[in-house]
Amino acid sequence: MTFKAIATPTRTKEILNKYGFSFKKSLGQNFILDVNTLKNIIEVAGVSDKTAVIEIGPGIGALTEQLASHSKQVIAFEIDQRLAPILEDTLSEYSNVTIIYQDILKADVEQIVKAHFSNLQDIKVVANLPYYVTTPILMKLLMERLPISSISVMIQKEVADRMAAKPNTKSYGSLSIAVQYYTEASVALHVPKTVFTPQPNVDSAVLHLKLRETPLVEVIDETFFFDLVQASFAQRRKTLRNNLTRYFSQDYSKEEIEVRMKRVGIDGTRRGESLSIQEFADLANTFL
Ligand code: SAM
């Protein structure tokens, strides 16, 4: 099938011209023109003929057709209705693909997964995401606790680095902790701009998230934990003591905050970026 793959410059151009399609930058439409990149994404994701795949943003179907031929079944969410006649054409040979024309952020993904994948065990998310909504999409998928085993997505490299970052690095912050609370995160591939049309302004990477069965740390109140993490990074160059004193100024005195930090063995002169996720959990729990 490779000889007529969608993800080549000639075939993509042919499809775009046939339908007079114009890219919408506001929808993050950068289509892939390289079959090898798509195969690498599928390999990173560990897709097999038993896998049920959720794709977000099929575009003209470049990744979708590769997923369809390597997996059991694919559901793809696409916000842009203008792509409907194109996808009907480009994916006409694949009976195992369902396209749902909805904004993924508004879709009832759990219900749709239940309805389509009721007897399938191995459910994975694989996508070349629209970069303007990467974080909201990933946080929605994680926080809804869907029955998925992994998420493998092409995103902006800088965001991938932040999501997979370890303590004491420039990229480590509240996003790293939010993502790693739910998953084991790793940056699997770097992808050059040249494999896209139109070329994005930023570098890309494939992020692999393996979902944890239970969150990495035990916290008494998740909302409070994530608020405390945010507060600790509010001003990166300030000490933990300063950031927390400012955040909790209505609720706790400086001394009370000091007592709690001491209780869990955390020195207030440290910066948020040096705390492990376990240390953040211990600190949050000692306030409750
Ligand atoms: N999968 C194709 C590829 O790899 O060539 C296209 C990827 S393109 C980076 C992102 C796709 O996501 C576009 O087709 C865009 O219309 C779609 N999209 C943007 N926002 C969306 C949303 N909120 N929900 C679903 N799809 C969205």
Side-chain angles (χ1 to χ4, degrees), residues 1 6 38-39 42 47-55 58 61-76 87 90-99 117 126:
M1 293 229 88
I6 298 167
L38 298 175
K39 292 200 166 146
I42 289 175
V47 168
S48 79
D49 57 3
K50 293 187 182 59
T51 309
V53 177
I54 302 171
E55 189 193 356
L63 175 59
T64 325
E65 75 169 350
Q66 300 295 331
L67 289 168
S69 56
H70 288 85
S71 72
K72 178 91 179 158
Q73 215 180 315
V74 183
I75 301 176
L87 286 166
T90 57
L91 300 177
S92 60
E93 285 177 38
Y94 301 97
S95 56
N96 59 345
V97 179
T98 308
I99 313 282
F117 294 158
V126 187

Side-chain angles (χ1 to χ4, degrees), residues 231-250:
S232 305
F233 287 100
Q235 289 181 282
R236 283 189 79 93
R237 296 171 61 83
K238 292 228 159 135
T239 61
L240 188 65
R241 174 188 291 139
N242 277 345
N243 275 324
L244 294 185
T245 306
R246 178 184 281 239
Y247 179 74
F248 289 119
S249 61
Q250 306 290 317

Side-chain angles (χ1 to χ4, degrees), residues 4 12 20 40 49 54 60 68 72 104 128-129 168 173 175 200 215 225 230 234:
K4 55 173 183 171
T12 294
N40 289 339
D49 57 3
I54 302 171
I60 59 172
K72 178 91 179 158
I104 184 73
N128 171 18
L129 286 181
N168 291 313
L175 189 60
F225 167 69
Q230 286 267 342

Side-chain angles (χ1 to χ4, degrees), residues 91-133:
L91 300 177
S92 60
E93 285 177 38
Y94 301 97
S95 56
N96 59 345
V97 179
T98 308
I99 313 282
I100 295 172
Y101 291 95
Q102 275 183 32
D103 177 344
I104 184 73
L105 293 176
K106 298 193 180 135
D108 187 344
V109 182
E110 191 181 357
Q111 262 318 105
I112 293 167
V113 165
K114 260 195 199 142
H116 287 78
F117 294 158
S118 58
N119 47 11
L120 294 170
Q121 296 295 314
D122 177 28
I123 306 177
K124 298 182 193 296
V125 173
V126 187
N128 171 18
L129 286 181
Y131 292 178
Y132 75 107
V133 277

Side-chain angles (χ1 to χ4, degrees), residues 27-32 55 57-59 78-79 103-104 128 130 132:
L27 292 181
Q29 292 180 335
N30 303 93
F31 297 168
I32 296 187
E55 189 193 356
E78 175 55 64
I79 199 171
D103 177 344
I104 184 73
N128 171 18
Y132 75 107

